[in-house]
């Protein structure tokens, strides 16, 4: 997985690309530490270039969604490929994130 900060609908967001797997857990943890959810509880994710996510990645997204919710924010997912959206819905992640 690669990531970059990007503009999403006029707001700062994060673009995740490539394969998002267990091997990316350290990188994702570091990304969240840099983001400071307490100060910016809405996390916008642009997933247009994400090609795959495994169960560990789904778990990391659940953790992110819960942290945002605890801080009175939310995770919004933008531009995800249909098969990525389908995977997220299959595991009920759509109950924790908002698709746009």
């Amino acid at each position: 997985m690669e990531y970059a900060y990007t503009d999403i609908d006029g707001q700062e967001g994060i673009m995740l690309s490539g394969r998002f797997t267990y091997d990316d857990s350290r990188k994702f943890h570091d990304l969240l530490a840099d983001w400071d959810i307490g100060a910016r509880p809405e996390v916008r994710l642009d997933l247009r270039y994400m090609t795959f996510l495994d169960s560990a990645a789904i778990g990391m997204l659940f953790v992110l969604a819960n942290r945002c919710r605890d801080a009175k924010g939310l995770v919004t997912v933008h531009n995800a490929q249909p098969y990525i959206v389908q995977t997220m819905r299959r595991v009920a992640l759509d109950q924790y994130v908002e698709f746009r």
Side-chain angles (χ1 to χ4, degrees):
M1 171 199 77
E2 297 299 320
Y3 71 89
Y5 295 102
T6 188
D7 179 82
I8 301 173
D9 298 333
Q11 300 290 323
E12 185 177 22
I14 303 167
M15 181 179 290
L16 301 178
S17 59
R19 296 173 54 85
F20 186 11
T21 67
Y22 173 80
D23 293 336
D24 298 305
S25 59
R26 170 62 63 196
K27 189 185 299 186
F28 193 71
H29 179 270
D30 292 345
L31 170 66
L32 295 183
D34 289 345
W35 184 262
D36 187 13
I37 291 171
R40 297 179 293 175
E42 183 171 342
V43 177
R44 292 168 182 83
L45 298 176
D46 186 333
L47 303 184
R48 79 180 74 218
Y49 300 117
M50 179 174 284
T51 59
F52 176 81
L53 66 158
D54 70 4
S55 59
I58 290 167
M60 288 182 261
L61 292 173
F62 271 113
V63 168
L64 172 61
N66 283 327
R67 284 186 185 175
C68 289
R69 186 175 54 196
D70 289 347
K72 307 295 186 236
L74 74 144
V75 174
T76 58
V77 174
H78 303 259
N79 307 311
Q81 300 296 325
Y83 61 91
I84 296 292
V85 173
Q86 183 180 25
T87 299
M88 291 177 158
R89 285 190 169 132
R90 192 173 296 136
V91 297
L93 190 54
D94 60 332
Q95 295 177 25
Y96 297 85
V97 304
E98 186 175 302
F99 292 104
R100 294 190 181 165

